[in-house]
Amino acid sequence: MYRFSCLPLLTLAAPLPALAQQAPPPPAAAAADNPDIVVLGQPLPVPPGVPAYGSVTISRERLTGDASGRVEDVLLDVAGFQQFRRADSRSANPSAQGVTLRALGGNASSRALVLLDGVPLADPFFGYIPFNAISADRLGGVRVTRGGGAGAFGAGAVAGTIELASATRRDLPLVAGEAFYGSDNAQEVSASISPDVGGGFVSFSGKFERGDGFYTTPASQFTAATVRARYRDWSGGMRAVVPIDAETEIQARGLLYRDNRTLRFAGADSSSEANDASVRLIHRGPWAIDALAYVQTRNFTNRVISATTAKLTLDQRNTPATGIGGKIELRPPVGPDHVLRVGVDARLGNGTLYEDAYTASGLVTTRRTAGGATSTLGAFVEDDWTLGRLVLTAGVRGDRWTITDGFFREANAAGAITSSTRYADRDGFEGTGRAGALFHASDAIALRAAAYTGFRLPTLNELYRPFVVFPITTQANAALGLERLRGIESGVDLKPLDHVTLSVTGFYNRLENAIANVTLSSTLRQRQNVDAIVAKGIELTGHATHGPFSFDGSYAFSDSKVEASGPQAKLNGLIPSQSPRHTGSATLAWASPSGFGASATVRYVGDQYEDDQQTDVIPAVTTVDGVITVPVGHRVAIVGRAENLFDATVITRNVTIQSGGTNPIDLGTPRRLWIGVRLR
């Protein structure tokens, strides 16, 4: 995807201020109460070996300056990032918002580990990322590390790690807000208030958005039931940072979130909700400590409407899920040349699906219940050793995992049990690790290389929940095994001029036992483990500034193939579904000292296949976005935004029913224009 914008966007192998722990000036209240206390509201410093893994950071300015206003779209600045489909969180089914990197294939569950202030964000049942609950103005920055990894919560990071950091005291004005009105009667309102409290600070924020939506169905496929993809969601957050002493602070965060969407047909409604809370202790003394605990309660509902009868066929009426976890990380004082990390972490998730099947006459025929629990308990050790211009890094972790309490039960309309299966509990141990080297050959050249392994448990959704997206039914599979990754990469980071940086990375990743939606017939698929998905390719990233102008670009070429044998042999050598070979993004931006600004973003996504058998092609698409900012006062600006300015046709789904039949097609975001006011 090629993309252009007017603000500094990507930084190569260099952490953001919010992620790098550069200390900001102390808040006025903190300085007045005790000049020795500096409240950062940040995690521990980034170890020096992190750039060996080719990490990329995105600034707060970029996060809050995108035409769509959505975090998942800004992440497209890192070529190779993708969700299961090309739709964002306004028009995609929430359960399809899985995240992956490096064209490792998609089946709607996340293969990348996504963290917010160290807390895993993936839904405990489905594994999707609730992007509508993540507001850009609450963030201080993002670091994306492609490739498997160790460290805290390393289980699940088979495609990479995306670390979101909350905005700090330095980022937050006392009062901020913005309001936008856009195409299809869309409205967005967000606001925050962030006062100093004692020696710390607290920030309260809220966001509401709604829209009548666009037609995700081509006009040629309209039926009497076809409607726009309307959406309505809101979220409220609180973050507090409380100092204990000059080196220690407590960081607490809470989130409430509700989302409702309608997709394709009248009555095809989905909803999701979240109630999350976490508390974190950061100690920056000689024995540095990062201790974290969190709890998540989530729910999801989904109604499936028949395309032929326009009647309700399936009501997934309730999917409650709970996630709890935590970690303790210690950094012992082992000398100025070493940063040693030692810790343990745990994640537990459980959930249950309740759904009812209906006849065309509106009568319940079957009531189904399914669910289970998963857990990981891990310990990790990682050390970064600085030897002059050379930084060596290596880490190992071991995880005890369990899949327990799995069941599937069906009853008839009267409640009599017609089928009941309880699956055997499973458990095991996985050892993983990573190692890398970063050599600063000069001030202008850095060479790096890394190797890593990782694993991912199947989600409860993959194990136990079947689903229907007309005309395809996808079956669950309680016998799914773990995914295991092995990968190597090397690269070079260049700074040929003071304001120019370039990065090139070559990689080879092998994901064994990859979970894929395998075709059984023209209208039936099942989640199965294939032998492997092998992805190799090249990633390019660049940044340049000249006076008020800046340019950021990112391109990824990924040659991804399936290795399969036995009953799946027909898939051998094919490209995994939802895996484009070419993606790119570029942003050109201009920002004046007086506050005027403009940006243009171009994205490109190459051809990719809808299915595992390469039957249905989702064609390539190029889109252009733009943003203009005009200050009208010291702290107020008028902002104009344009998404998909030239109204390119974005196809997100293309399915062949049968010879001579109509291919159901879903569409992504068309041209959308916004006007709004921003207060800082």
Side-chain angles (χ1 to χ4, degrees):
M1 310 174 297
Y2 294 103
R3 182 168 198 174
F4 299 97
S5 162
C6 285
L7 297 168
L9 311 183
L10 303 181
T11 304
L12 309 175
L16 285 171
L19 300 174
Q21 319 337 309
Q22 299 172 8
D33 291 345
N34 187 338
D36 294 329
I37 294 180
V38 178
V39 177
L40 299 177
Q42 298 176 344
L44 294 176
V46 175
V50 167
Y53 302 103
S55 62
V56 176
T57 60
I58 303 175
S59 70
R60 173 175 170 82
E61 289 76 17
R62 177 65 189 125
L63 287 166
T64 57
D66 187 70
S68 70
R70 319 199 72 75
V71 172
E72 66 268 31
D73 287 340
V74 180
L75 288 171
L76 292 170
D77 288 351
V78 181
F81 168 89
Q82 67 179 106
Q83 297 189 90
F84 179 57
R85 300 202 182 276
R86 296 176 181 178
D88 64 30
S89 54
R90 292 167 294 189
S91 61
N93 187 285
S95 63
Q97 290 179 231
V99 169
T100 191
L101 297 157
R102 289 187 167 167
L104 283 173
N107 68 348
S109 295
S110 290
R111 286 192 167 118
L113 175 65
V114 182
L115 304 171
L116 174 57
D117 295 336
V119 176
L121 280 182
D123 183 89
F125 188 94
F126 292 92
Y128 71 83
I129 308 302
F131 279 111
N132 267 1
I134 307 171
S135 183
D137 60 359
R138 299 173 191 157
L139 299 179
V142 180
R143 180 169 59 244
V144 180
T145 304
R146 292 170 286 203
F153 300 117
V158 292
T161 304
I162 300 173
E163 299 169 86
L164 296 87
S166 286
T168 65
R169 170 73 279 172
R170 159 184 53 207
D171 303 316
L172 297 170
L174 176 61
V175 177
E178 59 185 33
F180 284 88
Y181 183 83
S183 305
D184 305 320
N185 194 29
Q187 298 125 48
E188 294 179 7
V189 179
S190 64
S192 65
I193 180 170
S194 308
D196 295 331
V197 178
F201 72 93
V202 62
S203 181
F204 297 95
S205 59
K207 181 178 181 180
F208 170 81
E209 59 181 358
R210 66 158 307 279
D212 293 342
F214 56 89
Y215 287 105
T216 61
T217 306
S220 61
Q221 296 184 4
F222 278 12
T223 70
T226 299
V227 296
R228 293 174 177 269
R230 68 176 183 267
Y231 63 94
R232 181 187 183 95
D233 64 78
W234 64 266
S235 63
M238 183 279 295
R239 186 169 188 254
V241 178
V242 180
I244 304 301
D245 55 39
E247 296 177 328
T248 312
E249 67 190 38
I250 298 290
Q251 303 172 7
R253 183 174 58 84
L255 171 70
L256 298 177
Y257 161 67
R258 301 293 184 271
D259 172 87
N260 294 275
R261 310 180 201 178
T262 299
L263 303 179
R264 197 176 179 98
F265 301 121
D269 302 327
S270 66
S271 72
S272 56
E273 63 181 61
N275 305 289
D276 295 357
S278 65
V279 61
R280 190 179 198 179
L281 171 71
I282 297 292
H283 177 68
R284 299 181 176 88
W287 278 80
I289 301 172
D290 184 353
L292 170 71
Y294 70 88
V295 60
Q296 302 163 330
T297 62
R298 306 282 178 87
N299 205 344
F300 172 80
T301 69
N302 187 58
R303 293 163 65 88
V304 179
I305 302 297
S306 168
T308 54
T309 67
K311 300 292 186 180
L312 177 67
T313 62
L314 187 66
D315 184 7
Q316 296 166 336
R317 54 187 171 82
N318 199 19
T319 317
T322 302
I324 60 173
K327 74 161 186 176
I328 298 177
E329 176 184 328
L330 302 178
R331 298 189 182 182
V334 290
D337 298 331
H338 288 269
V339 176
L340 177 64
R341 304 169 62 200
V342 181
V344 296
D345 59 67
R347 279 189 286 175
L348 299 90
N350 65 78
T352 306
L353 165 71
Y354 300 90
E355 68 176 23
D356 300 332
Y358 286 78
T359 66
S361 60
L363 298 177
V364 174
T365 60
T366 306
R367 301 187 187 277
R368 302 187 187 98
T369 308
T374 62
S375 72
T376 58
L377 174 62
F380 61 91
V381 178
E382 189 163 74
D383 183 53
D384 291 10
W385 185 13
T386 302
L387 298 165
R389 291 180 174 270
L390 176 66
V391 179
L392 301 177
T393 177
V396 295
R397 65 173 287 133
D399 284 275
R400 171 86 163 47
W401 60 266
T402 66
I403 300 174
T404 59
D405 301 327
F407 74 96
F408 181 86
R409 185 165 56 245
E410 284 189 340
N412 60 26
I417 302 297
T418 58
S419 175
S420 181
T421 304
R422 184 162 291 277
Y423 303 104
D425 293 347
R426 292 186 280 163
D427 62 75
F429 179 85
E430 289 290 320
T432 56
R434 66 177 182 177
L438 175 67
F439 177 63
H440 297 279
S442 69
D443 293 341
I445 302 174
L447 306 175
R448 50 186 166 79
Y452 37 77
T453 63
F455 81 99
R456 182 181 77 89
L457 285 178
T459 64
L460 298 174
N461 178 49
E462 293 167 320
L463 291 165
Y464 307 123
R465 173 186 172 258
F467 68 95
V468 178
V469 179
F470 178 81
I472 305 295
T473 296
T474 302
Q475 298 176 335
N477 185 352
L480 288 171
L482 281 61
E483 295 182 336
R484 296 177 175 88
L485 177 90
R486 296 179 181 178
I488 57 173
E489 64 182 70
S490 63
V492 57
D493 300 326
L494 304 174
K495 190 176 181 181
L497 301 171
D498 286 344
H499 302 290
V500 177
T501 57
L502 302 170
S503 177
V504 181
T505 301
F507 66 89
Y508 175 92
N509 285 181
R510 179 182 176 85
L511 184 66
E512 298 179 345
N513 286 336
I515 298 172
N517 295 336
V518 176
T519 299
L520 304 180
S521 70
S522 61
T523 59
L524 183 64
R525 296 173 184 165
Q526 185 188 43
R527 299 184 181 96
Q528 295 181 6
N529 294 103
V530 299
D531 291 347
I533 292 176
V534 176
K536 52 185 181 292
I538 297 175
E539 297 159 344
L540 308 175
T541 309
H543 169 73
T545 60
H546 180 71
F549 294 95
S550 66
F551 172 83
D552 289 85
S554 182
Y555 166 78
F557 168 75
S558 303
D559 181 15
S560 186
K561 296 292 177 62
V562 175
E563 292 186 359
S565 59
Q568 301 169 351
K570 59 186 177 182
L571 304 179
N572 191 55
L574 299 184
I575 298 173
S577 63
Q578 311 297 333
S579 299
R581 289 170 65 85
H582 302 276
T583 60
S585 167
T587 300
L588 178 65
W590 168 77
S592 75
S594 59
F596 287 91
S599 67
T601 297
V602 178
R603 299 174 182 164
Y604 173 80
V605 184
D607 292 341
Q608 63 194 67
Y609 289 101
E610 169 70 34
D611 64 324
D612 59 322
Q613 296 186 331
Q614 298 188 186
T615 303
D616 303 313
V617 176
I618 300 176
V621 64
T622 301
T623 60
V624 179
D625 297 345
V627 178
I628 296 177
T629 302
V630 179
V632 294
H634 181 56
R635 298 182 181 276
V636 180
I638 301 297
V639 181
R641 308 185 329 211
E643 300 179 67
N644 194 0
L645 183 60
F646 298 108
D647 204 23
T649 299
V650 181
I651 295 178
T652 64
R653 188 177 71 108
N654 179 26
V655 178
T656 298
I657 298 178
Q658 57 188 10
S659 178
T662 300
N663 295 4
I665 290 175
D666 286 348
L667 303 176
T669 305
R671 178 169 53 234
R672 297 173 66 88
L673 304 178
W674 298 85
I675 188 70
V677 59
R678 178 173 291 159
L679 169 68
R680 289 287 185 268

